[in-house]
Amino acid sequence: PGVDLALWAEASRLREEYWGKNVYLRGIVEFSNHCRQNCLYCGLRRDNRELSRYCIDAEAIFSAAKAVKGLGFGTVVLQSGEDAGGDGEDVAKLICRIKNKLNLAVTLSLGEREVADYRLWREAGADRYLLKLETLDEDLYARLRPGRKLAQRLHSLQELKDLGYETGSGLIAGLPGERPGDLRRGLEFLAGLHLDMLSISPFTPAPGTPFAEALACGLAEIFNAMALARVLMPTAHIPVTSALGLHGDDVRLAALAVGDVLMPSLTPEAVRGAYAIYAGKNSGAESPKARAEAMRDLLLNAGFALPAGPGSAWRIERGS
Ligand code: SAM
Ligand code: SF4
């Protein structure tokens, strides 16, 4: 089956109604690829011995955040594997420094942590947190994330909401083992959580994982999922993920008819290739800065607007 054109048209109409031509650029800094989890789909999984592991220090993370600011973006996203060794206090200090010195909105995507860490980081000034549920099928979840349960992830998501984060979640489309109707059910469930952002990435096989040879999510499936997400959650921020961006600029621009966020990677060049969640992630010869600038030009040429400011959740932007 192809793209559902009626759904797509309705989703584009809603995107335009609520967000106009705006595209929100967030600079993502992937500061560590260490991970204690063993998700079958992800190249950063614990058992992937092919991957050389890195963790950049606070100074290097701050420099990358400065580059995000220099590009005129309003938000820095700090992402990493679920790093058991990562010290909550160090992350809190870094958040404080970024907030005080750079005045950027800070989004965290650091996986499941103790509520004490979530609280510490929120008090340090973090604005947003992204914790995807990946799949709403409990059995599939347990199989794909060994040792973890969907209920625990949901509990963490609720803790984040209760702490006042602008909260995002999402799914991976086309996961091996996904059944017809799973995505729709997942999106309907997420819509009931009244999230501020929703990210759906197309499953893309990763070397060094049990799914290295699995079939990637098709374009029609991810387009239909994004369109349905927009129809169910018209005011949510919906990124065009980097995995979808692998299909090139035309696909990225087309997806922005329903999505409204792009997150170029500003991870330092020396390590960015090792943030290998899936094949092709962070590849390419240009510097992160040159690529981010090229993306900005592409968007402006295509008639999109790049508003200054943090690009907060709808309820905050509109004061409702
Ligand atoms: N470790 C944290 C976590 O899992 O929430 C944050 C980093 S993790 C690499 C960020 C996201 O990458 C996950 O939420 C998952 O949706 C996505 N991801 C991992 N492997 C993927 C794959 N093979 N294809 C598409 N997306 C993938
Ligand atoms: Fe670790 Fe996140 Fe990858 Fe799972 S998806 S292996 S938690 S980095």
Side-chain angles (χ1 to χ4, degrees), residues 205-262:
T209 68
F211 294 147
E213 306 297 330
L215 207 61
C217 175
L219 271 184
E221 183 177 9
I222 181 69
F223 272 47
N224 286 335
M226 287 181 69
L228 180 60
R230 175 60 72 200
V231 169
L232 292 170
M233 285 161 274
T235 60
H237 283 302
I238 300 180
V240 174
T241 61
S242 55
L244 183 50
L246 282 182
H247 291 270
D249 286 341
D250 289 349
V251 167
R252 194 180 275 132
L253 289 176
L256 282 170
V258 301
D260 66 300
V261 170
L262 280 179

Side-chain angles (χ1 to χ4, degrees), residues 134-291:
E134 321 296 6
T135 173
L136 255 294
D137 176 328
E138 273 176 55
D139 296 335
L140 187 60
Y141 185 98
R143 233 180 316 134
L144 297 182
R145 308 197 74 230
R148 309 301 305 162
K149 287 200 167 70
L150 180 60
Q152 294 163 326
R153 194 92 165 164
L154 270 168
H155 184 73
S156 291
L157 195 61
Q158 189 58 48
E159 286 174 342
L160 292 163
K161 282 184 90 175
D162 292 345
L163 286 166
Y165 282 95
E166 292 169 57
T167 309
S169 189
L171 304 170
I172 304 179
L175 275 171
E178 178 193 285
R179 291 167 311 176
D182 276 357
L183 270 182
R184 167 175 288 276
R185 277 189 294 276
L187 289 172
E188 284 169 355
F189 178 86
L190 288 169
L193 297 182
H194 305 289
L195 299 162
D196 298 307
M197 59 197 155
L198 189 98
S199 164
I200 313 156
S201 46
F203 166 72
T204 310
T209 68
F211 294 147
E213 306 297 330
L215 207 61
C217 175
L219 271 184
E221 183 177 9
I222 181 69
F223 272 47
N224 286 335
M226 287 181 69
L228 180 60
R230 175 60 72 200
V231 169
L232 292 170
M233 285 161 274
T235 60
H237 283 302
I238 300 180
V240 174
T241 61
S242 55
L244 183 50
L246 282 182
H247 291 270
D249 286 341
D250 289 349
V251 167
R252 194 180 275 132
L253 289 176
L256 282 170
V258 301
D260 66 300
V261 170
L262 280 179
M263 299 198 282
S265 167
L266 270 296
T267 303
E269 270 175 289
V271 295
R272 60 196 303 278
Y275 200 74
I277 309 176
Y278 47 77
K281 167 79 179 146
N282 285 357
S283 55
E286 285 173 302
S287 73
K289 187 163 174 283
R291 238 195 348 276

